[in-house]
Structures are given as structure tokens and as C-alpha cells.
Amino acid sequence: MANKSTVPFQGTKEQETVLREVIERRKSEQGALMAVLQQAQEIYGYVPTEVQTIISDEMDIPLHKIEEVVDFYPQFTLSPKGKYQVSICLGTACFVKGAGDVYNKLTEVLGIGGGECTADGKFSLDASRCIGACGMAPILMVNDDVYNHVKAEDVEEILAKYE
């Protein structure tokens, strides 16, 4: 099941207008729900309950059916991405070299789990499977900044750069 957002929904009227136009344009198409959800995620950056409710109302699809689709497909997220997107590689090479400990320290320091965003919207946390830099394992990324050979004790110092 996807994680519920701890960040208050801050969608705009403009975003809602665009979403409603997308729904109107696509709702009669076969398989429209997936296309509408994908576009909703592009519009908002995620697909929170508030957006799912609009889709449910406009497409006359029960909300629980939409929730099932969002929960099933990993491409959809219920939490926005933070200003700083933290990603730790949990691929085999990184994991063997301690990425699990780094991930645990990240969840402790940030107070969130994978796929979640801090309440202030500053940090989001995700795990990746492999980023192709196994010789520098474990790898931590913050947006486009790459940190290699990261240890759990490095986490607070790295995150402090983004305060």
C-alpha cells in the first residue's frame, strides 16, 4: 500500500482546472483511468486523496477503485517530492557495503519512510535499485548531488548541507 502524505495538500485552482479539462477530454476513452492518473501526477507531482476524489467524482468511478490502481502501480505516489529528493541505492553492491544502515539512519534523522516527504516539504526519501556506480558503493543522491562510499555516520553531515 502506498504511503499517505504527511504534507498538507496545496493544489491550486489552476491545477484543478487543468485536471478537470484532462478528465473531460479523456473520460470516454478505453482505459482512460490510467491516462488520467498519469496526467494528474504530472500536474500535481503526486496523486493525493484530494486529486483521486476529483477523478472519482468526474469519471463516476468509485474512489476505492482508484485507490486500488494507485496502490498497485509503483509509478504513482501519494506524497509530494521534497525540495531535496534523497535517494539511496539499495542494489546488491550498495547493500552489501552498508546501504541498509545508511537508509535506516536517513529514516531516523528525517523522521519519514521511503516514498514519504517531511511535513515541511524539505526532504523526500526514496530507495533505488541500482544507479550504475557499484565501485563507489554505497551511493546516496540528493537531487543531482552524488555522494559515494557513504556510511551511516555521514548522513547528518550530508543533510546539513541542505538546511
Side-chain angles (χ1 to χ4, degrees), residues 3-77:
N3 294 321
K4 299 270 187 222
S5 179
T6 57
V7 178
F9 179 64
Q10 297 181 1
T12 66
K13 283 291 180 197
E14 292 80 14
Q15 288 172 313
E16 185 175 332
T17 299
V18 172
L19 176 61
R20 289 180 188 279
E21 289 170 358
V22 166
I23 294 168
E24 186 58 37
R25 200 171 53 247
R26 306 215 61 173
K27 70 181 178 183
S28 62
E29 297 174 9
Q30 176 115 0
L33 179 57
M34 281 297 289
V36 168
L37 285 169
Q38 289 167 336
Q39 289 193 278
Q41 185 153 292
E42 286 180 29
I43 294 165
Y44 291 93
Y46 65 124
V47 190
T49 301
E50 295 84 353
V51 171
Q52 292 177 50
T53 301
I54 294 169
I55 295 168
S56 171
D57 292 345
E58 294 297 313
M59 295 184 74
D60 197 29
I61 298 172
L63 182 58
H64 75 274
K65 294 283 187 193
I66 294 170
E67 289 171 338
E68 288 173 358
V69 172
V70 171
D71 284 346
F72 182 78
Y73 291 98
Q75 73 189 59
F76 298 120
T77 180

Side-chain angles (χ1 to χ4, degrees), residues 96-117:
V96 167
K97 292 187 176 185
D101 294 334
V102 175
Y103 180 80
N104 291 338
K105 185 66 173 183
L106 285 164
T107 62
E108 175 191 319
V109 171
L110 294 172
I112 58 173
E116 295 180 344
C117 184

Side-chain angles (χ1 to χ4, degrees), residues 85-156:
Q85 297 176 35
V86 180
S87 179
I88 178 75
C89 177
L90 293 180
T92 303
C94 286
F95 195 81
V96 167
K97 292 187 176 185
D101 294 334
V102 175
Y103 180 80
N104 291 338
K105 185 66 173 183
L106 285 164
T107 62
E108 175 191 319
V109 171
L110 294 172
I112 58 173
E116 295 180 344
C117 184
T118 56
D120 62 4
K122 187 178 262 189
F123 293 99
S124 56
L125 177 62
D126 287 300
S128 63
R129 285 292 154 218
C130 184
I131 61 170
C134 301
M136 298 185 292
I139 299 291
L140 173 74
M141 293 182 67
V142 180
N143 293 346
D144 293 329
D145 298 335
V146 178
Y147 298 90
N148 54 55
H149 305 291
V150 178
K151 294 175 181 53
E153 56 265 20
D154 301 332
V155 166
E156 292 182 72

